[in-house]
Amino acid sequence: EAGVAQSPRYKIIEKRQSVAFWCNPISGHATLYWYQQILGQGPKLLIQFQNNGVVDDSQLPKDRFSAERLKGVDSTLKIQPAKLEDSAVYLCASSSKTGTGEEKLFFGSGTQLSVL
Amino acid sequence: DAKTTQPPSMDCAEGRAANLPCNHSTISGNEYVYWYRQIHSQGPQYIIHGLKNNETNEMASLIITEDRKSSTLILPHATLRDTAVYYCIVRVWGGSEKLVFGKGTKLTVNP
């Protein structure tokens, strides 16, 4: 079974530039998450999609971050303009719930962003 | 904020059991304990979860105290590949509550 695919693996940009990350979840997974992980910390949820609708984006800095999940499959996360503090690993995860509510998240390897 | 407390780091000798503790003294009756681990340069990986009974799978065992205020993840025969950050998380089963990661425990398995 193919895992969660993310690209690019690494990205280096200057502050005030824009950047986009792409995620392809596991086939059939209805729920997709974007997490931000700053060095030395645990992942922090940015946004959660259920199919192509947003379930939770309370921690997404909406003045500069945006995300979409067209057709309920692939997703893109964009930052415009980037700030130095956006340097982090951006992780995408997907999951599907069984009829009993069991949910396991499957993560991609992430995109490491460096903002100079 | 994370609802769990874990030691920042632990060491274990290869081939020995690794016992990773987690305190979750404010856990609610309908909250499950999940464990994930993150190997360097990879995304987190699900290990195991439980409610109140002890659980075992091919990766690990989970021991939850009777009062459910703490738990221990056991890797019975640690290998060098088990070196990772281990996250203990409490979450309502099937709920929409987001999965909140703390800083976890950095486990180093030494040869």
Side-chain angles (χ1 to χ4, degrees):
Chain A
E1 178 183 78
V4 176
Q6 290 190 247
S7 67
R9 189 75 175 90
Y10 304 94
K11 191 72 177 179
I12 301 174
I13 62 172
E14 295 186 348
K15 60 183 179 183
R16 291 188 288 274
Q17 285 187 325
S18 63
V19 64
F21 313 124
W22 174 81
C23 173
N24 181 232
I26 292 174
S27 178
H29 280 192
T31 309
L32 185 146
Y33 307 81
W34 283 101
Y35 281 82
Q36 178 193 58
Q37 186 171 25
I38 293 172
L39 188 65
Q41 298 182 18
K44 182 184 85 171
L45 180 67
L46 292 176
I47 189 168
Q48 176 183 345
F49 290 95
Q50 182 72 20
N51 296 308
N52 59 353
V54 175
V55 173
D56 183 348
D57 63 356
S58 58
Q59 297 196 85
L60 187 74
K62 299 180 185 63
D63 58 334
R64 298 184 300 105
F65 286 64
S66 65
E68 61 181 8
R69 190 182 183 197
L70 299 176
K71 300 180 182 179
V73 182
D74 293 4
S75 178
T76 56
L77 176 69
K78 297 179 181 178
I79 307 175
Q80 182 179 10
K83 293 185 175 181
L84 298 177
E85 59 260 36
D86 298 332
S87 294
V89 175
Y90 291 85
L91 294 160
C92 178
S94 69
S95 71
S96 63
K97 290 184 181 180
T98 68
T100 58
E102 177 179 0
E103 181 181 23
K104 301 175 188 176
L105 270 63
F106 296 84
F107 286 81
S109 296
T111 296
Q112 186 171 328
L113 174 67
S114 297
V115 182
L116 307 177
Chain B
D1 291 340
K3 300 179 181 179
T4 61
T5 304
Q6 299 177 253
S9 64
M10 292 183 64
D11 284 275
C12 176
E14 187 177 20
R16 304 297 293 268
N19 298 287
L20 293 92
C22 178
N23 287 320
H24 30 79
S25 58
T26 61
I27 192 170
S28 302
N30 62 347
E31 287 185 313
Y32 284 66
V33 180
Y34 285 77
W35 283 84
Y36 282 76
R37 74 177 182 183
Q38 187 172 23
I39 295 170
H40 183 62
S41 298
Q42 298 182 21
Q45 174 193 26
Y46 166 85
I47 301 173
I48 199 168
H49 70 272
L51 181 62
K52 49 185 166 183
N53 297 322
N54 298 336
E55 302 287 345
T56 296
N57 63 20
E58 65 279 4
M59 292 183 68
S61 294
L62 174 60
I63 308 298
I64 302 174
T65 58
E66 191 170 347
D67 63 7
R68 303 209 323 121
K69 292 185 177 182
S70 66
S71 60
T72 301
L73 179 75
I74 301 173
L75 307 178
H77 305 287
T79 70
L80 299 180
R81 288 178 293 182
D82 292 323
T83 292
V85 177
Y86 287 77
Y87 297 100
C88 169
I89 302 162
V90 296
R91 188 183 186 206
V92 175
W93 183 260
S96 60
E97 177 185 322
K98 51 182 171 276
L99 205 64
V100 178
F101 289 82
K103 292 189 176 182
T105 296
K106 174 64 190 294
L107 174 68
T108 302
V109 181
N110 300 305

